[in-house]
Amino acid sequence: DEWDFAFIGMSNHPFIKANYPHHEGFWGWGSLADQTILLVPYIRRSMVEYNDVLSDMGYPSTWDDPDIREKLLYIDKTPQELWYEWRDLRVMDEVHWWGWFIDYWMEGGLLRDIFTHKKVTQDHWNELMIRPFYSREELAFDRFGDPNAVVSDTYDPHCAKGEISNGCAPVEVVSVDRLVDSYRGPAETAKIATALLSDSKTGDHVIAQQAWPCIWEELVEHRKGPKTIYDRPGKEYGYVDTEYNFSVEMLTEMLNELNRLITKYNGDDWNDKPTANVLVELLMEHAFYLQMEVTEVKAGRRKLQSDGFLGPETREARRRLRASTNSSEALGDTSNATEKRTQTQQTKNIQNRFSDNGQREFAKKRRAARKARERRRARVGARKENGARKRKVKGRPK
C-alpha cells in the first residue's frame, strides 16, 4: 500500500497498491517503482466498495496503524443510512475522479482538470492536490485558470523525473472484476505475471508459468491470501447489485463518463496501443451493464428507496406523482398531511447533506486527515534520521 511505504518504510514487495492522484492516494514509494499496471474496476461497484471501506474505518480523519486498520476491514456490511449519506454527498463528483484517474495513468501523468478534462498548468494542478473532497463548484476550472488560455502539455514531476523507471503509462491494463471471475480470472492473472516476467528486475523471481493457475486458485477460490472486499459477510460485489441502488441521474453520469473515455481511447491517437484497446473493451462491457440497470430503473423493475437521493429529475417526478395522488383523496385525511410533512422533511435533510456547508464539513475532515498523515510522515523521517545519527555516534572509535 502506498501509505505503508510512506509511513512505515520501504519493503521488498513486488506490488505497490496506489490510488494516486485520487484524493485518497499518496505518492509514497519514492522512486522504487519500475512499471505501472492499471487495474480498472467496474465504475458502479467501485463507488459501493469505496464507501464500504470508509465505513469500516469509521470515515477516518487520521491515519492509523495499518495493523489496526486491517482488523477493521471487511467485517460487516455498511449501514444503509451511512451509504445514502455518503452517496448523496459524493457519487456525482467521484464518478469524474474515477475517469480522471484513468486519464492520468493512461497519458503518463499528463496534468488535466478533473471535471472539464482540459490540460492544466503545474500551479493549477497543485491547487487541485491540496483540495481533497472539495465540491465540483469549488474546483471549477475558471477558479484557478483562464478558460480561454492555451495550455501546453505538462506532466506530473514524479513522471517527468522518471521516478517510475519505465514511465508512468501502464504496460498492461487488467480488469479487477475479471481477475476474480471463475472463468476469466486465470487469464487476467497471467497478464500480471507476464508483466513481471518481462521486467529485468523481477523476471528472475517469477515462478514457472505452469504454477500460475494454481496461485490464482489458492488466492481467489480458496481465499488463502490476505483479506479482501470479497471476505465481507453477507455482501457480494459484482456487475449486478440489487442491495445498493442509484438513481437514473447517477447511472447516467457514470455512463457519460464511460462513453467519454471510450470515445477518447478508441480514437486515431490511441487505437494502435494495446493497452488502449483493452481499456476500451473493458469500458464497453461496463457500459453494457450500466445501460441494463438504467432500463430496469426506468421500467420499475429495480425499486428506488424514497429516502435516498434520487437526483433532481427523478425527485421532481415523484413529487408531482404524490401531489396528484393526494389531491384525489379526501381533504380530511390527516394521514396524507402527516406523510407530506415527513416527505418534506426528508427532502430538506437530503438538501442539507448536499449543500455547500455539508461539502465543506466533509472536506474539512479530509484536509485534517491529510495534514495528520503528513505530520506522521515527518515524525517517521525524523526518527529514522535520529536513529542514523545515533548509530554513527555509537560506532565512532574512542
Side-chain angles (χ1 to χ4, degrees):
D1 185 278
E2 58 200 331
W3 291 104
D4 294 342
F5 269 75
F7 293 102
I8 298 177
M10 304 304 174
S11 61
N12 188 28
H13 284 75
F15 304 105
I16 307 168
K17 180 181 72 66
N19 293 310
Y20 181 89
H22 186 271
H23 48 72
E24 292 288 357
F26 184 78
W27 191 293
W29 59 89
S31 58
L32 293 186
D34 297 316
Q35 58 185 355
T36 300
I37 298 176
L38 180 63
L39 275 73
V40 181
Y42 180 34
I43 185 171
R44 183 204 192 280
R45 180 186 61 76
S46 67
M47 299 296 153
V48 177
E49 177 190 339
Y50 178 29
N51 174 69
D52 284 350
V53 171
L54 289 176
S55 176
D56 287 342
M57 299 168 62
Y59 299 91
S61 58
T62 59
W63 191 91
D64 294 316
D65 184 272
D67 294 333
I68 297 175
R69 291 188 295 124
E70 185 177 357
K71 294 175 183 178
L72 298 175
L73 292 175
Y74 321 127
I75 61 176
D76 205 353
K77 294 170 65 175
T78 301
Q80 287 277 348
E81 63 273 13
L82 293 180
W83 157 247
Y84 282 130
E85 184 168 0
W86 181 87
R87 183 194 66 173
D88 299 354
L89 188 64
R90 292 302 309 174
V91 162
M92 295 292 278
D93 286 356
E94 288 294 339
V95 165
H96 296 273
W97 286 86
W98 185 90
W100 176 74
F101 176 90
I102 290 177
D103 275 336
Y104 173 88
W105 290 106
M106 286 297 294
E107 296 183 308
L110 182 64
L111 307 186
R112 290 189 180 274
D113 180 58
I114 300 163
F115 300 103
T116 67
H117 318 297
K118 295 180 179 179
K119 298 174 185 177
V120 298
T121 64
Q122 186 66 59
D123 289 340
H124 189 152
W125 176 267
N126 294 340
E127 292 291 338
L128 296 178
M129 290 293 98
I130 62 173
R131 287 174 166 77
F133 280 92
Y134 272 56
S135 68
R136 185 183 314 205
E137 291 73 22
E138 291 170 319
L139 294 176
F141 184 88
D142 55 8
R143 284 177 176 255
F144 307 103
D146 181 358
N148 300 317
V150 178
V151 179
S152 59
D153 290 356
T154 306
Y155 289 85
D156 190 323
H158 293 299
C159 300
K161 295 177 180 178
E163 293 186 20
I164 295 181
S165 54
N166 290 330
C168 287
V171 298
E172 187 60 87
V173 174
V174 173
S175 166
V176 174
D177 303 275
R178 292 181 182 180
L179 192 60
V180 296
D181 181 77
S182 59
Y183 177 72
R184 297 184 288 186
E188 290 298 297
T189 301
K191 291 166 65 175
I192 297 174
T194 301
L196 292 175
L197 187 64
S198 303
D199 183 79
S200 60
K201 294 183 179 179
T202 58
D204 292 339
H205 306 284
V206 178
I207 62 174
Q209 186 173 354
Q210 294 87 337
W212 295 354
C214 178
I215 294 296
W216 176 87
E217 184 178 337
E218 292 296 300
L219 290 176
V220 177
E221 291 195 339
H222 298 162
R223 316 301 309 155
K224 291 187 177 180
K227 286 196 303 182
T228 70
I229 61 170
Y230 300 99
D231 294 310
R232 189 181 301 281
K235 177 66 181 176
E236 294 185 5
Y237 294 93
Y239 287 118
V240 180
D241 182 351
T242 58
E243 184 174 7
Y244 296 113
N245 289 321
F246 295 88
S247 70
V248 170
E249 288 89 329
M250 290 178 172
L251 296 172
T252 300
E253 195 83 0
M254 296 180 200
L255 268 172
N256 289 341
E257 186 64 8
L258 289 180
N259 288 331
R260 178 189 74 82
L261 293 168
I262 291 170
T263 300
K264 175 176 179 176
Y265 293 106
N266 201 32
D268 293 340
D269 294 338
W270 289 92
N271 58 22
D272 61 340
K273 298 181 183 297
T275 51
N277 294 334
V278 173
L279 176 63
V280 169
E281 178 190 346
L282 295 179
L283 297 180
M284 290 179 68
E285 184 175 318
H286 297 175
F288 170 79
Y289 284 104
L290 274 179
Q291 188 59 61
M292 284 181 57
E293 185 169 344
V294 169
T295 302
E296 290 177 355
V297 174
K298 288 184 175 180
R301 294 194 298 271
R302 183 183 286 262
K303 301 295 183 181
L304 300 179
Q305 297 202 21
S306 59
D307 61 346
F309 172 74
L310 304 176
E313 296 178 6
T314 308
R315 188 164 54 244
E316 177 60 20
R318 288 202 169 191
R319 188 196 64 77
R320 289 196 299 267
L321 178 61
R322 288 197 301 269
S324 174
T325 302
N326 290 341
S327 65
S328 64
E329 297 178 353
L331 295 176
D333 189 347
T334 58
S335 63
N336 284 339
T338 302
E339 180 184 0
K340 185 175 182 180
R341 284 195 298 271
T342 301
Q343 292 166 344
T344 300
Q345 185 58 49
Q346 288 174 344
T347 300
K348 288 181 179 179
N349 290 342
I350 296 299
Q351 290 172 345
N352 288 337
R353 291 174 183 174
F354 207 63
S355 67
D356 288 342
N357 287 335
Q359 290 275 13
R360 290 193 183 92
E361 286 301 313
F362 211 91
K364 187 185 298 182
K365 293 180 180 180
R366 299 312 304 164
R367 287 197 297 273
R370 185 62 60 96
K371 291 178 180 178
R373 290 164 177 165
E374 293 289 352
R375 288 195 296 269
R376 185 182 179 97
R377 187 186 187 196
R379 288 197 298 269
V380 171
R383 286 198 296 268
K384 289 181 179 178
E385 185 177 351
N386 290 336
R389 289 175 180 172
K390 290 178 180 178
R391 286 192 294 273
K392 289 180 180 179
V393 171
K394 185 177 180 180
R396 191 168 53 199
K398 297 181 179 179

